[in-house]
């Protein structure tokens, strides 16, 4: 990927923030797991690469943040492609998340028409009802494993939660937020998920012999409900990170203190793309010879190729293919 420049004022501001990190945690005796991702630099990198406006940044930023949250759910080497095909003016988005820790993606319409000032962040007029598809590619798979669900397109985090409930039968809550300043700059961004684990996935106290289909006890139901309420009561993560008063660890401990949360891992997640000039040269060399000869005779020279996943522009002299 060819990194686009961030303006100096924004770079200075980003330097004052907590590092972008994904914090993975468990709590409630192993019955709940989750992850919190601070992604202010992440969203700014995404925006700079695609040169996006505010609405487009909000849509692709939310989708990318939620895509990043799927990384700790991956097993071994895995690559997820998450696509939304909608009926709204944004048309949809594609986000890819890789177990090595990078996310990339693009919005289908980079210039969404806005006919009146936005009164809220209801995305249904722009995304519309549509299909959300997860395609999982494991290291040794010949073909991806794909699943599609219908979603309403009003809220991207809610659409992700709906997918996990419908397709995976796993009760999962998502939230993501992006804070803009008065000039439209992204000054805070974060996302979090919380997932109920089966009883067989808990600690020895719960017992590996417990049937995961057994109905929850009243006590367990109460714990899960309290945790869900605590999750929903969380203030805007983008706002919290922009205020620079609390860290990711503070947020996790503060929100879920009564459930004894334990942060088990921290890892770097970056908005990045593995594309490079050599990859596109290799692609061009596989074009029909007649087309290559036409380039040599009629141009253009150099060829200009834009990576749709990251916006990088590569200029490739015809002589190199």
């Amino acid at each position: 990927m060819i990194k686009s420049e961030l303006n100096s004022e924004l770079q200075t501001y980003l330097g004052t923030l907590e590092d972008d990190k994904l914090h993975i945690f468990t709590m409630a005796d192993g019955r709940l797991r989750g992850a919190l991702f601070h992604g202010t630099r992440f969203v700014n990198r995404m925006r700079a690469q695609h040169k996006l406006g505010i609405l487009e940044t909000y849509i692709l930023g939310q989708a990318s943040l939620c895509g990043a949250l799927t990384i700790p759910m991956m097993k071994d080497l895995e690559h997820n492609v998450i696509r939304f095909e909608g009926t709204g003016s944004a048309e949809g988005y594609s986000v890819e998340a890789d177990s090595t820790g990078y996310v990339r993606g693009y919005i289908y319409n980079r210039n969404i028409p806005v006919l009146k000032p936005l009164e809220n962040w209801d995305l249904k007029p722009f995304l519309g009802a549509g299909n959300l598809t997860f395609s999982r590619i494991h290291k040794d798979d010949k073909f991806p494993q794909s699943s599609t669900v219908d979603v309403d397109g009003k809220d991207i985090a809610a659409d992700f939660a709906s997918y996990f409930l419908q397709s995976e039968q796993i009760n999962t809550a998502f939230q993501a937020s992006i804070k803009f300043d008065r000039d439209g700059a992204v000054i805070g961004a974060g996302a979090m998920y919380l997932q109920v684990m089966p009883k067989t996935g808990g600690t020895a106290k719960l017992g590996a012999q417990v049937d995961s289909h057994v109905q929850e006890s009243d006590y367990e139901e109460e714990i899960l409900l309290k945790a869900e309420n605590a999750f929903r009561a969380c203030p805007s993560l983008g706002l919290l990170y922009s205020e620079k008063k609390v860290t990711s660890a503070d947020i996790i401990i503060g929100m879920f203190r009564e459930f004894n949360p334990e942060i088990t891992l921290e890892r770097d997640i970056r908005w990045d793309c593995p594309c490079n000039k050599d990859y596109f040269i290799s692609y061009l060399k596989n074009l029909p010879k007649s087309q290559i000869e036409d380039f040599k005779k009629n141009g253009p020279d150099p060829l200009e190729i834009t990576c749709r996943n990251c916006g990088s522009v590569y200029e490739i002299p015809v002589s190199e293919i």
Side-chain angles (χ1 to χ4, degrees), residues 150-165:
D150 295 330
V151 294
D152 65 14
K154 181 177 181 178
D155 181 284
I156 290 171
D159 288 348
F160 270 66
S162 181
Y163 169 83
F164 276 89
L165 184 60

Side-chain angles (χ1 to χ4, degrees), residues 289-309:
K289 289 184 178 180
S290 59
Q291 190 168 353
I292 295 175
E293 289 301 319
D294 184 65
F295 287 146
K296 291 179 179 178
K297 182 178 180 180
N298 301 311
D301 190 5
L303 298 171
E304 188 175 279
I305 298 181
T306 301
C307 176
R308 66 179 181 178
N309 282 300

Side-chain angles (χ1 to χ4, degrees), residues 62 70 93 106 197 208 283 302:
Q62 289 245 335
T70 69
Y93 58 78
Y106 60 97
M197 301 303 294
Y283 169 80

Side-chain angles (χ1 to χ4, degrees), residues 233-296:
C234 178
S236 161
L237 292 170
L239 176 62
L240 288 176
Y241 285 123
S242 70
E243 292 176 337
K244 298 182 279 189
K245 295 179 180 179
V246 293
T247 65
S248 293
D250 292 335
I251 296 171
I252 294 169
I253 301 301
M255 284 181 59
F256 302 118
R257 186 181 303 277
E258 68 174 297
F259 311 107
N260 300 314
E262 179 183 356
I263 298 173
T264 59
L265 183 67
E266 296 179 19
R267 64 175 300 181
D268 294 325
I269 303 292
R270 63 196 184 279
W271 204 93
D272 201 355
C273 183
C275 72
N276 55 56
K277 183 178 178 180
D278 289 341
Y279 169 83
F280 287 110
I281 289 175
S282 177
Y283 169 80
L284 290 169
K285 285 182 176 179
N286 287 316
L287 292 175
K289 289 184 178 180
S290 59
Q291 190 168 353
I292 295 175
E293 289 301 319
D294 184 65
F295 287 146
K296 291 179 179 178

Side-chain angles (χ1 to χ4, degrees), residues 153-223:
K154 181 177 181 178
D155 181 284
I156 290 171
D159 288 348
F160 270 66
S162 181
Y163 169 83
F164 276 89
L165 184 60
Q166 292 184 61
S167 182
E168 309 289 335
Q169 287 80 53
I170 301 176
N171 192 358
T172 309
F174 282 83
Q175 63 168 280
S177 66
I178 298 172
K179 175 66 175 176
F180 297 91
D181 68 10
R182 291 183 178 181
D183 297 322
V186 175
I187 57 173
M192 178 165 53
Y193 86 87
L194 192 63
Q195 192 171 73
V196 179
M197 301 303 294
K199 290 186 177 183
T200 51
T203 64
K205 180 179 178 181
L206 291 170
Q209 305 304 316
V210 176
D211 184 350
S212 62
H213 296 90
V214 172
Q215 187 175 359
E216 307 285 0
S217 69
D218 290 343
Y219 172 74
E220 290 166 337
E221 289 261 1
E222 182 181 2
I223 290 293

